[in-house]
Amino acid sequence: MPSFLPTTRAELNARRIKRLDFIVISGDAYVDHPSFGAAIIARHLESQGYTVGIIARPDPSDVETFRALGRPRLAFLVAGGAIDAMVCKYTANRKPRSEDEYAPGADPSLCRGPDGSIHEFMVNGKKANARPDKTVIAYSVKCREAYKGVPLIAGGLEASLRRLSHYDYLSDTVRKPMVVDAKADLVVYGMGERAITEIASRLAERSDALGGVCLGDPAGGSEPSFDPALLRGIRGTVWRCSKAIDLPTEAIRLPAHEAAAGDTRVFAESFAIQYRNTDPGTAVPLIEEAAGQFVVQEKPQPPLSRAELDAVYALHFERAWHPVYTAFKGVPALAEVQFSITSCRGCYGACAFCALAFHQGRIVSGRSKESIVAEARTLTGLKGFKGYIHDIGGPTANFRGPACKKQEGGSACVDRRCLVPEPCPSLEVDHREYIGILRAVRTLPGVKKAFIRSGIRFDYVMADKNPGFIRELALHHVSGQLKVAPEHVSDRVLRLMGKPPRRVYDAFARDWSAINTELGLKQYIEPYFIASHPGAELSDAIELAEYLRDCGF
């Protein structure tokens, strides 16, 4: 029988759970699939013996929605969703989107009521987007209103990328750190499995020591049942305090929020320090003053080992949307990932415009061949599987592990990139393991094709002295078009982007065309380009436009 995590009181009763340890609040509909961060964290905690429920897309105007599963024993875990709310709700021109792929039936107005039913969120008699602006902040306020004193942990992409002073595109201002604006006890940044394990352990020990009380419960006794200081010192987290005597002595002081918000150069210099302290081997804690408080970012967590990553993706997932959404034709975001496999995390490409290094880090960790093949076998038995695995990849599909011996030791260079302006002499380029995985998956019974859709790093391919990977791609893993990201054709702009010079892409395009011609295949490159990158000038835009014209786009 299906075993989704409980989302209503009726489901709690059916599972004979009297009280949940954790309640996850998410801006996405509940899809129990390893491509959704809320599901991963919830299943990860469940595997450690905690009881976890999910309140998905709650009505942001109704506090009763946030009381739907009762008072959690240990904490609320609040996340905006798999994609940032700003991107889900607005176009690049700040116009509201008419669809939300992470909502039931893609209807952005649909949300859950306190009884668990799906209904339209209305404002002044008109349909409104149920995902509130600055989702983590809005949900955190409601959690506090629902149950005062309950520990509140914010995480996910939206909180991670806003962990310190950050530029907000919607308001065109520099906003305060998320831990301050959301009044959270803690923000988890980056990949959260290790941090949430330590957080849960500390909270559970405190609750058990007090006889199993709900932390923050005013009826818990004469001494406070929860002190936020309990959660300090955990790598991959951000916390706040009001006294300077509580600060770590080895930390770097960033410019105060007020200074960063009032001067673009100060803000840029502050972010440069933040960016240099994303490496787990060399980073130090950071301190920023904001709104009369001190915000402390602990060192980042090291990436999960291969065995740890395998264990996460071996957890039980229903790999489907919760049945309550079936009446609305499901959750569209599942279609893209339902028959896809995440093979790695992290990216040492370190493009200037990309948030990956700031969120997942530059040290790549990859799953084992056995783990990936086991998941592929699972996919072949799912309802609706027609023989096609849509993707075996990650942030960069053809990165499988650390870039060099130094990264294997747990640290990346903070003052240089691995691939640009030329590949580093220490870079270890080898596609053999990835080719072996692809071959093993595509020969499984029931698998007709295993595609790569998440994009490859073409300069890494060109640095490989063994040319066999391009031929393997062309023969078996492309459905007519190969996604790559040259991003621009102006070498000046490419330098600003941290991308390889144009000649590298041109050489790859020639090789791709030649091999497909030799094989008698009509397959093409689908390139991605960025217009108006910071630092680009009119002459660069003209050069890109002329290139696209000459290519026939």
Side-chain angles (χ1 to χ4, degrees):
M1 289 181 63
S3 181
F4 289 87
L5 294 165
T7 66
T8 65
R9 290 276 190 175
E11 291 170 5
L12 277 180
N13 295 335
R15 294 183 65 162
R16 298 181 180 178
I17 298 173
K18 293 183 178 180
R19 180 180 59 190
L20 290 164
D21 293 321
F22 293 98
I23 296 176
V24 176
I25 312 289
S26 174
D28 294 340
Y30 172 30
V31 180
D32 199 44
H33 189 280
S35 289
F36 293 74
I40 282 188
I41 293 299
R43 290 297 190 182
H44 179 63
L45 286 168
E46 182 189 49
S47 73
Q48 297 174 39
Y50 300 101
T51 53
V52 188
I54 292 184
I55 300 177
R57 292 184 66 81
D59 185 337
S61 66
D62 186 359
V63 68
E64 290 303 318
T65 306
F66 294 79
R67 295 178 178 139
L69 296 178
R71 185 186 188 101
R73 181 173 74 101
L74 301 180
F76 278 118
L77 307 179
V78 180
I83 293 182
D84 188 87
M86 176 69 205
V87 179
C88 275
K89 290 193 63 176
Y90 299 97
T91 69
N93 292 322
R94 300 188 181 93
K95 302 297 184 184
R97 294 188 187 275
S98 58
E99 294 186 343
D100 182 345
E101 296 293 301
Y102 292 83
D107 187 338
S109 70
L110 295 182
C111 61
R112 274 186 181 264
D115 62 350
S117 63
I118 306 298
H119 66 273
E120 289 183 338
F121 178 47
M122 310 291 287
V123 175
N124 296 326
K126 296 181 179 180
K127 290 172 64 173
N129 197 317
R131 186 193 301 269
D133 289 345
K134 300 169 185 61
T135 309
V136 172
I137 298 173
Y139 285 170
S140 296
V141 168
K142 285 297 180 182
C143 287
R144 292 295 198 203
E145 185 181 344
Y147 296 111
K148 297 184 187 303
V150 172
L152 196 154
I153 318 298
L157 187 69
E158 185 172 331
S160 179
L161 297 184
R162 290 161 172 75
R163 56 189 184 258
L164 295 167
S165 289
H166 55 278
Y167 175 69
D168 178 61
Y169 185 71
L170 186 61
S171 64
D172 192 25
T173 60
V174 174
R175 291 186 60 92
K176 293 187 287 293
M178 178 64 75
V179 71
V180 172
D181 268 350
K183 295 181 173 59
D185 295 304
L186 202 68
V187 162
V188 176
Y189 71 90
M191 302 290 93
E193 290 93 351
R194 276 217 188 99
I196 200 64
T197 297
E198 177 65 18
I199 292 164
S201 176
R202 294 190 187 188
L203 292 174
E205 286 178 9
R206 178 60 178 159
S207 175
D208 292 345
L210 295 172
V213 301
C214 291
L215 295 183
D217 191 334
S222 57
E223 67 171 311
S225 61
F226 172 67
D227 180 353
L230 175 72
L231 299 177
R232 294 176 187 172
I234 300 173
R235 295 184 69 151
T237 66
V238 180
W239 49 274
R240 60 193 171 100
C241 65
S242 57
K243 297 180 181 179
I245 58 173
D246 296 329
L247 303 177
T249 56
E250 75 276 23
I252 292 176
R253 287 286 191 111
L254 297 173
H257 166 75
E258 290 71 18
D263 188 318
T264 53
R265 185 172 186 86
V266 172
F267 173 71
E269 290 169 348
S270 176
F271 185 77
I273 297 171
Q274 297 174 40
Y275 195 84
R276 288 178 64 86
N277 282 275
T278 57
D279 175 61
T282 59
V284 298
L286 303 177
I287 299 171
E288 181 181 34
E289 289 187 59
Q293 301 179 71
F294 297 95
V295 176
V296 179
Q297 174 184 295
E298 300 285 357
K299 299 177 184 180
Q301 286 278 357
L304 297 183
S305 67
R306 176 161 289 189
E308 289 172 322
L309 203 58
D310 286 354
V312 167
Y313 287 93
L315 295 171
H316 169 76
F317 295 95
E318 289 295 322
R319 298 179 179 272
W321 57 66
H322 190 281
V324 73
Y325 306 124
T326 300
F328 302 90
K329 299 182 179 179
V331 181
L334 178 62
E336 185 68 22
V337 296
Q338 186 174 17
F339 302 118
S340 296
I341 298 172
T342 299
S343 66
C344 61
R345 288 182 181 176
C347 181
Y348 48 77
C351 301
F353 51 81
C354 182
L356 270 166
F358 197 63
H359 181 58
Q360 289 197 7
R362 287 179 56 196
I363 300 176
V364 175
S365 54
R367 293 166 61 187
S368 69
K369 176 180 176 180
E370 293 75 17
S371 171
I372 293 170
V373 170
E375 184 171 356
R377 238 184 238 108
T378 298
L379 297 186
T380 64
L382 294 181
K383 181 181 179 181
F385 183 73
K386 298 179 180 179
Y388 300 98
I389 292 177
H390 296 159
D391 188 27
I392 303 175
T396 298
N398 56 326
F399 287 173
R400 286 288 304 145
C404 62
K405 292 291 189 289
K406 180 177 180 180
Q407 286 195 9
E408 285 180 14
S411 186
C413 298
V414 297
D415 56 351
R416 65 182 67 182
R417 292 181 170 100
C418 300
L419 282 158
V420 296
E422 299 293 337
C424 175
S426 298
L427 179 66
E428 297 176 357
V429 183
D430 192 345
H431 286 90
R432 287 176 296 178
E433 183 188 42
Y434 190 39
I435 290 173
I437 290 169
L438 295 172
R439 287 174 176 171
V441 170
R442 73 174 185 248
T443 56
L444 285 174
V447 175
K448 298 175 182 176
K449 278 275 190 179
F451 296 118
I452 299 174
R453 294 172 62 182
S454 53
I456 64 165
R457 186 82 187 211
F458 62 83
D459 48 347
Y460 185 79
V461 174
M462 296 306 289
D464 194 343
K465 293 181 171 52
N466 180 355
F469 182 63
I470 299 181
R471 181 177 293 271
E472 195 89 7
L473 271 179
L475 274 171
H476 301 289
H477 303 291
V478 177
S479 60
Q481 293 185 333
L482 175 68
K483 293 180 180 179
V484 293
E487 308 294 7
H488 216 282
V489 296
S490 162
D491 282 343
R492 195 185 69 82
V493 176
L494 289 167
R495 281 193 298 273
L496 293 173
M497 291 177 160
K499 297 292 288 186
R502 175 176 167 176
R503 59 177 168 76
V504 180
Y505 172 68
D506 288 343
F508 175 79
R510 286 194 299 270
D511 284 1
W512 177 256
S513 178
I515 286 176
N516 278 279
T517 299
E518 176 191 330
L519 296 173
L521 299 171
K522 291 185 178 181
Q523 298 186 139
Y524 307 96
I525 289 177
E526 184 180 320
Y528 288 80
F529 295 100
I530 293 176
S532 302
H533 187 276
E537 298 176 355
L538 180 60
S539 59
D540 303 310
I542 292 171
E543 184 178 357
L544 178 56
E546 291 177 337
Y547 174 86
L548 295 172
R549 176 201 63 199
D550 294 344
C551 287
F553 287 113

